[in-house]
Amino acid sequence: MPMLSKDRNGERNVTLELTGVSHAYVGVRGARLALEGLNLAVGTGEFVSLVGPSGCGKTTVLSLLAGLFPPSRGRVLLSGQPVRGPSARIGYMLQQDYLFPWRTIRDNVLIGFDIAGNRNAGASEAADALLAELGLPDAGGRYPHELSGGMRQRAALARTLIAGPDVLLLDEPFSALDMTIKLQLEDLVWETLRKLGKTAVLVTHDLAEAAAMSERVVVLVADPGTIADVVDVPAELRRLKPTEARKAQGFNALFDRLWKRIGRDGGGAEEGGGVGDGEVPQE
Ligand code: ADP
Ligand code: MG
């Protein structure tokens, strides 16, 4: 059975669904089982995070959801339909912004339309308006090297959003940023996706980020990648934007719960000790 938690409104439609999904990467030295027996359903408009140690299959889950390749076994569904390849309904945002240095920010935002050959009149204005909404009112005519890392990630978010996807897949989009910029962007992304009613799956190895941004946190363990736990974020924290949630009552308890889950099953951390900055132990 797909796991949709009970305290959420039961009527919520399911947008993403993984059923009995296993995936093996096959190479010259044999096969490696990256995921085994995953069941997960993400409701429409829901924000779910995937956490777990390096190599536990987080990026593989996003690649399957994005339709980059099919799973070895099991089903991947988008609004009840099998995912058969990349779709404009799904946007993908990565740690690296992959902005092309020779294109202006505006032309980077619009690159998907240029590749498809369907940039229309008004596209430039739409790009500039979206950039302004994301806090980059004067960036359209500038080049990537003129922007800071945080500004570049805003531009990358604009590029992802301009195609109007229903679903956003976010693979560690903040992990290369300074802490203050990262906190600002967490709020911006959270507010933007919420306002637009997007469904989101965030991969992060930062447990505090997962706790602050999402409605549910899926804890994965490695070898092979399986779901160890699905933790519901308490309703009073879900309502708050990430920087507020981090300061709210109940946040530390949630963080501890995630930490213990990871520590016990994932990276060998000691219970209650050495919480550090909330990074999942890396191998
Ligand atoms: P995570 O994102 O959690 O770090 P990945 O999904 O990238 O994990 O990888 C899961 C496992 O699959 C790891 O053991 C990794 O080495 C392996 N893997 C990932 N991509 C490939 C690939 N293209 N070919 C072979 N093995 C891969
Ligand atoms: Mg990864």
Side-chain angles (χ1 to χ4, degrees):
M1 277 295 289
M3 284 183 265
L4 257 187
S5 61
K6 290 161 248 79
D7 63 338
R8 197 163 301 103
N9 93 54
E11 273 78 306
R12 195 173 211 171
N13 289 323
V14 172
T15 288
L16 296 170
E17 204 168 350
L18 298 165
T19 315
V21 164
S22 298
H23 190 73
Y25 288 103
V26 182
V28 285
R29 285 180 296 161
R32 180 175 179 125
L33 191 57
L35 295 173
E36 189 171 39
L38 248 68
N39 295 306
L40 181 70
V42 181
T44 305
E46 192 182 11
F47 197 123
V48 169
S49 290
L50 306 180
V51 299
S54 176
C56 70
K58 302 180 296 294
T59 296
T60 304
V61 172
L62 292 195
S63 302
L64 293 170
L65 292 171
L68 301 185
F69 44 78
S72 308
R73 187 171 292 165
R75 299 205 304 164
V76 182
L77 303 176
L78 170 63
S79 302
Q81 300 298 313
V83 169
R84 296 192 200 284
S87 137
R89 288 192 55 201
I90 297 189
Y92 212 143
M93 191 174 160
L94 305 166
Q95 179 182 343
Q96 274 198 305
D97 53 59
Y98 294 108
L99 298 172
F100 291 105
W102 60 87
R103 299 189 78 146
T104 62
I105 293 301
R106 179 186 307 119
D107 286 343
N108 267 289
V109 170
L110 294 171
I111 193 161
F113 298 106
D114 287 342
I115 289 170
N118 61 1
R119 189 201 283 217
N120 50 25
S124 295
E125 289 72 20
D128 285 352
L130 182 55
L131 285 165
E133 220 174 303
L134 297 177
L136 296 177
D138 304 312
R142 295 165 75 184
Y143 287 87
H145 76 268
E146 301 179 80
L147 271 57
S148 68
M151 292 164 85
R152 292 168 60 115
Q153 273 305 48
R154 287 169 194 255
L157 177 63
R159 182 187 53 197
T160 308
L161 288 175
I162 200 136
D166 306 324
V167 176
L168 257 86
L169 306 176
L170 306 150
D171 200 347
E172 313 229 9
F174 314 118
S175 58
L177 303 171
D178 292 344
M179 190 63 176
T180 45
I181 305 294
K182 172 189 165 111
L183 293 175
Q184 282 171 14
L185 273 185
E186 282 177 16
D187 277 2
L188 177 73
V189 168
W190 184 89
E191 283 169 336
T192 305
L193 300 193
R194 192 179 164 99
K195 190 171 70 191
L196 300 173
K198 306 287 185 198
T199 304
V201 182
L202 169 74
V203 160
T204 177
H205 56 264
D206 180 339
L207 299 182
E209 180 172 293
M213 290 195 76
S214 25
E215 294 170 62
R216 258 189 317 158
V217 182
V218 176
V219 181
L220 294 165
V221 291
D223 298 318
T226 48
I227 294 177
D229 202 0
V230 180
V231 177
D232 275 310
V233 174
E236 61 273 17
L237 291 179
R238 277 187 225 156
R239 277 197 298 274
L240 301 172
K241 64 179 180 178
T243 46
E244 300 293 324
R246 283 171 185 267
K247 292 180 282 189
Q249 212 189 349
F251 186 79
N252 286 345
L254 172 64
F255 181 94
D256 281 348
R257 179 154 173 221
L258 291 171
W259 174 255
K260 285 190 177 128
R261 199 62 241 196
I262 293 279
R264 192 159 60 238
D265 295 326
E270 282 164 37
E271 287 211 359
V275 169
D277 60 358
E279 305 276 298
V280 173
Q282 302 288 298
E283 60 192 21

